[in-house]
Amino acid sequence: MFEHRLRVRFQHTDPAGIVFFANILVYCHEAYEEFLRDGGIPLEEFLGKRKQTLPLGHAEATFKRPFRAGQLVTVRVSVGRIGERSFRLEFDLFGESMEHLATAATVHVSVDPATGRSTAIAPELRSLLEKHAPPA
Amino acid sequence: MFEHRLRVRFQHTDPAGIVFFANILVYCHEAYEEFLRDGGIPLEEFLGKRKQTLPLGHAEATFKRPFRAGQLVTVRVSVGRIGERSFRLEFDLFGESMEHLATAATVHVSVDPATGRSTAIAPELRSLLEKHAPPA
Amino acid sequence: MFEHRLRVRFQHTDPAGIVFFANILVYCHEAYEEFLRDGGIPLEEFLGKRKQTLPLGHAEATFKRPFRAGQLVTVRVSVGRIGERSFRLEFDLFGESMEHLATAATVHVSVDPATGRSTAIAPELRSLLEKHAPPA
Amino acid sequence: MFEHRLRVRFQHTDPAGIVFFANILVYCHEAYEEFLRDGGIPLEEFLGKRKQTLPLGHAEATFKRPFRAGQLVTVRVSVGRIGERSFRLEFDLFGESMEHLATAATVHVSVDPATGRSTAIAPELRSLLEKHAPPA
């Protein structure tokens, strides 16, 4: 489990005064970037050095309560299934009183950009994921 | 069924050269806005006049092929389940040779912003949705 | 002179109901991309083939009237100064009754990404710019 | 003078690997939001309570060095001219070794949204701005 906090920005909200849904998935990706950085594998370095990309194969989110401008949000990241060539992350987003705002999940596929094909997850990424995976 | 075409912008793509996943959900929302406009209910007027909002309760997407800068994308919108207070839209996204790039779905809830509670879908919106719904 | 039309999206507007200012500069960049595409030099191909990038050295905008969700906007692109290694574009943005909404300008520098240094504007780009430049 | 630190996100960068210019203006706005919050006037509350909006009348930026994914950026906010109905903020953006990445400025106009017309800057905002203004 890993947690990242962020603040909802004015420009993330729409005329109805609440965060536009796609921005909530951006918050999840921001937490994923911090999860990797905290684990010693910053995404930008990983992509540069490893010559692998990690495009999303799937994303989903369920929104329970509105996110409002100025609000502090805690994003909790958990590792779901770890496959040979892909992995699933799960996200829970909470407000300031730890009220549950949303859940989300993303599936990331390890891809060799030279061929465009899926490839085995790099060992250092696999070991970071396993450290955070739920006990079998 | 309704179709909307758009072009992938340079700034939608990330350092891996492909569209950042959350932008693909933005494309779906853009097609939804055009679907409403084409049906005579522009979202911005609807929200203003009807005093109802239509926040998303759920969104999901599965990405099959990368979206690249400069590419023309066709977004096909279909109406899924129409409930009392919510409805589901389904999206298929195609590239220039009609190759299937992604599927997505969004669930929209009719909410009275004064109370923050769900409320019956407005009649003009319901009839637009029903016109596009698959035969029972 | 080159013109591009676009529609203001719901998610470009903020809780005050008007377009967040940075999105207006995004509209200018979108018009610039279409200007290049129309001139036979799509930005994404140019960067790929020419191994040159065109980062901005400067941007400025003056906002005269609010941009609102759903509004059609015409962006007029003019070529300003063309230097050895940089060029300036000027933008005028108009609403549906051709009311003047904003002006903007961007300065683009031709850079060799291998060295990070400025370099001469590529000949095909220079000739496109000159075709649109005001008479001396 | 007020400082805000933020991290460049993966999705802020474009295929050339550097931050898309309009995002740098978004960073300035984020620092402005934190400047107001730190001064006890969070923008979202101000707009709600005061029934005033603060749309931008002008924005400009000069980019000196590329901003890259993962980089920590310090945004220094200074107050420039304070007028009757508008004020100017100045921004300096620095990288991790305090190298100067960019300068920017924004002019904000106090507007009564009921009439759409400019109006005197609210007293609590004026006193916050004056506290940060350079000596006359």
Side-chain angles (χ1 to χ4, degrees), chain B residues 9-30:
Chain B
R9 296 289 156 204
F10 186 69
Q11 76 270 19
H12 297 165
T13 59
D14 64 24
I18 64 169
V19 172
F20 184 68
F21 79 106
N23 288 330
I24 295 169
L25 284 159
V26 174
Y27 297 163
C28 293
H29 199 276
E30 185 175 318

Side-chain angles (χ1 to χ4, degrees), chain B residues 4 7 9-11 26 29-30 33-34 37 43-44 47 69-70, chain C residues 4 7 9-11 26 29-30 33-34 37 43-44 47 69-70:
Chain B
H4 174 62
R7 194 177 289 281
R9 296 289 156 204
F10 186 69
Q11 76 270 19
V26 174
H29 199 276
E30 185 175 318
E33 289 182 49
E34 290 306 310
R37 188 181 316 283
L43 185 57
E44 62 279 3
L47 298 183
Chain C
H4 174 62
R7 194 178 288 282
R9 296 290 156 204
F10 186 69
Q11 76 271 17
V26 174
H29 198 275
E30 185 175 319
E33 289 182 50
E34 289 306 310
R37 187 181 317 284
L43 185 56
E44 62 277 4
L47 299 183

Side-chain angles (χ1 to χ4, degrees), chain D residues 48-91:
Chain D
K49 246 196 302 195
R50 295 291 321 192
K51 307 285 179 222
Q52 289 187 353
T53 58
L54 295 165
L56 275 82
H58 182 76
E60 61 189 58
T62 298
F63 311 108
K64 297 166 184 292
R65 286 183 179 80
F67 290 62
R68 301 192 182 282
Q71 194 175 11
L72 267 177
V73 173
T74 299
V75 188
R76 185 175 289 168
V77 185
S78 322
V79 175
R81 206 187 63 90
I82 310 173
E84 188 56 39
R85 296 153 183 262
S86 69
F87 58 95
R88 178 181 168 100
L89 299 178
E90 282 158 14
F91 302 91

Side-chain angles (χ1 to χ4, degrees), chain C residues 55-117:
Chain C
L56 276 82
H58 182 75
E60 62 188 61
T62 298
F63 311 107
K64 297 165 183 290
R65 286 184 180 80
F67 289 64
R68 301 190 184 283
Q71 193 174 13
L72 268 177
V73 173
T74 299
V75 187
R76 186 175 290 167
V77 186
S78 322
V79 175
R81 205 186 65 88
I82 309 173
E84 187 58 37
R85 295 152 185 264
S86 70
F87 58 94
R88 179 181 168 100
L89 299 178
E90 281 158 14
F91 302 91
D92 286 283
L93 296 96
F94 300 96
E96 285 167 60
S97 329
M98 288 307 278
E99 69 278 19
H100 206 176
L101 299 176
T103 61
T106 53
V107 175
H108 302 253
V109 185
S110 178
V111 167
D112 177 345
T115 65
R117 294 178 143 194

Side-chain angles (χ1 to χ4, degrees), chain D residues 2-127:
Chain D
F2 172 82
E3 284 190 353
H4 174 61
R5 296 187 85 193
L6 53 86
R7 195 178 287 280
V8 170
R9 297 289 156 203
F10 187 69
Q11 76 271 17
H12 297 164
T13 58
D14 64 23
I18 64 168
V19 172
F20 184 68
F21 79 106
N23 289 329
I24 295 168
L25 284 159
V26 174
Y27 297 164
C28 294
H29 198 276
E30 187 176 317
Y32 157 61
E33 289 182 49
E34 289 306 310
F35 166 78
L36 291 180
R37 187 181 318 282
D38 179 74
I41 323 175
L43 185 57
E44 62 278 3
E45 273 177 49
F46 182 81
L47 299 183
K49 246 196 302 195
R50 295 291 321 192
K51 307 285 179 222
Q52 289 187 353
T53 58
L54 295 165
L56 275 82
H58 182 76
E60 61 189 58
T62 298
F63 311 108
K64 297 166 184 292
R65 286 183 179 80
F67 290 62
R68 301 192 182 282
Q71 194 175 11
L72 267 177
V73 173
T74 299
V75 188
R76 185 175 289 168
V77 185
S78 322
V79 175
R81 206 187 63 90
I82 310 173
E84 188 56 39
R85 296 153 183 262
S86 69
F87 58 95
R88 178 181 168 100
L89 299 178
E90 282 158 14
F91 302 91
D92 286 283
L93 296 95
F94 301 96
E96 285 167 61
S97 331
M98 287 309 278
E99 70 278 20
H100 206 178
L101 300 176
T103 62
T106 53
V107 175
H108 301 252
V109 186
S110 178
V111 167
D112 177 345
T115 64
R117 294 181 142 189
S118 66
T119 182
I121 296 171
E124 70 267 40
L125 177 55
R126 174 173 298 279
S127 65

